[in-house]
Amino acid sequence: MSQFEEYAEKYQFIRMERRDGILLMTLHSKGGELLWGGRPHEELSYAFGEIARDRQNRAVIMTGTGDSFCADIIWGRSAAAGPTKMSPARSDHTMSDAGYLIMNHLNIPVPIIAAVNGPALIHSELALLCDIVIASENAAFQDLPHFSSGLVPGDGVHAVYPLLLGMNRGRYFLFTGQKLGAREAHEMGLVAEVVSRERLMPRAWELAHQIAQKPMLTIRYARAVLTRELKRLMLNNLDVGLALETLAGSEYWPAPNLGKK
């Protein structure tokens, strides 16, 4: 089994604390708003795995820092450098890590609450795969780094958004780069509650405490039964999405101006 003391301070981009069996994960970059990139991607895949194997966790809250859940990204390649081919070994590593990111998330055996404190534009599926999604009024949802930036919508977004929005609205969302504000996301079923920024974390803790008070096996088995279809969906679709994203993206011009920069 994993022990909280062994992994709590292990990760550079994830701040963790636990109270009453409730684990709070706060995504950040040097204490500020998270800048997505290869290292946060890899860290989260490992962190989810360790959290899943710690039987002292009764519920998990995942949130961002400041006014952003995950809205900016650092490209590994610059537009000025031109197209860059990835070696087969590097492509395989990227695909493998992306698979672990999603499946380790779903393998956490206790409920996860996403407290979306601002725009979730990069890997927004990480919030939407949570059992309860609450959002502050300044939150927004978009798939910024894929089709809008020349990449196939992989990484699970190709499965999550058609599931939650419906097939036609989901495809429209991914092909057009549509951005949904918190209220619109709530109306479309992506978000369970929209609250003020000040109320977001107290509400997340309130929900987590409600969950954590239930018997441990009830908590774990409820999560198991309520993620079963999500796991099936990912087992059927994740690999092909990642493979086609990697194949199409093996040589491309990355977007030079993504996010706040």
Side-chain angles (χ1 to χ4, degrees):
M1 291 195 309
S2 296
Q3 301 291 329
F4 180 69
E5 295 75 17
E6 297 173 354
Y7 64 83
E9 299 183 6
K10 185 175 180 179
Y11 297 102
Q12 180 180 343
F13 295 91
I14 311 164
R15 186 169 58 253
M16 299 192 201
E17 61 178 280
R18 187 166 69 190
R19 303 199 304 266
D20 303 323
I22 300 167
L23 175 63
L24 173 63
M25 304 175 62
T26 304
L27 310 180
H28 71 97
S29 290
K30 298 180 179 179
E33 295 179 1
L34 179 66
L35 297 176
W36 189 260
R39 182 68 182 272
H41 191 294
E42 194 164 20
E43 281 200 357
L44 268 172
S45 69
Y46 278 98
F48 288 149
E50 294 198 89
I51 291 166
R53 296 180 66 86
D54 184 350
R55 296 184 70 89
Q56 299 305 308
N57 292 321
R58 302 181 69 88
V60 176
I61 300 170
M62 182 164 56
T63 192
T65 299
D67 291 322
S68 167
F69 185 83
C70 185
D72 206 351
I73 190 170
I74 299 174
W75 286 103
R77 292 164 277 179
S78 68
T84 303
K85 285 188 176 181
M86 294 178 70
S87 69
R90 178 60 183 166
S91 295
D92 178 71
H93 173 81
T94 300
M95 280 185 57
S96 175
D97 190 58
Y100 281 123
L101 179 68
I102 299 298
M103 296 312 298
N104 285 353
H105 181 301
L106 291 174
N107 283 334
I108 292 175
V110 297
I112 309 175
I113 298 167
V116 185
N117 58 305
L121 313 183
I122 316 294
H123 275 283
S124 52
E125 80 282 354
L126 296 177
L128 298 177
L129 284 172
C130 292
D131 301 279
I132 296 175
V133 184
I134 62 175
S136 61
E137 293 171 329
N138 66 312
F141 297 85
Q142 189 179 23
D143 181 40
L144 189 56
H146 288 110
F147 197 77
S148 297
S149 301
L151 289 176
V152 173
D155 291 319
V157 295
H158 65 297
V160 170
Y161 277 102
L163 172 70
L164 297 179
L165 293 175
M167 187 60 70
N168 280 359
R169 285 192 300 188
R171 286 183 292 177
Y172 175 85
F173 176 89
L174 294 170
F175 274 124
T176 65
Q178 182 183 17
K179 182 187 288 187
L180 298 174
R183 295 292 178 187
E184 192 173 7
H186 179 259
E187 292 171 2
M188 291 186 170
L190 299 180
V191 171
E193 297 181 14
V194 178
V195 297
S196 67
R197 181 69 183 87
E198 295 74 21
R199 177 66 179 143
L200 181 69
M201 293 311 298
R203 179 56 176 156
W205 280 100
E206 180 182 357
L207 290 166
H209 278 295
Q210 289 180 18
I211 290 168
Q213 290 171 5
K214 301 298 187 292
M216 189 59 179
L217 290 185
T218 299
I219 294 170
R220 296 172 69 88
Y221 294 169
R223 164 75 171 172
V225 74
L226 292 173
T227 55
R228 187 174 180 85
E229 290 305 317
L230 285 173
K231 289 179 180 178
R232 192 194 311 275
L233 181 71
M234 288 303 170
L235 287 172
N236 288 338
N237 292 280
L238 184 57
D239 284 352
V240 68
L242 291 171
L244 294 176
E245 178 183 356
T246 302
L247 180 62
S250 61
E251 181 173 286
Y252 81 113
W253 292 91
N257 185 24
L258 205 165
K260 301 175 184 175
K261 294 183 190 279

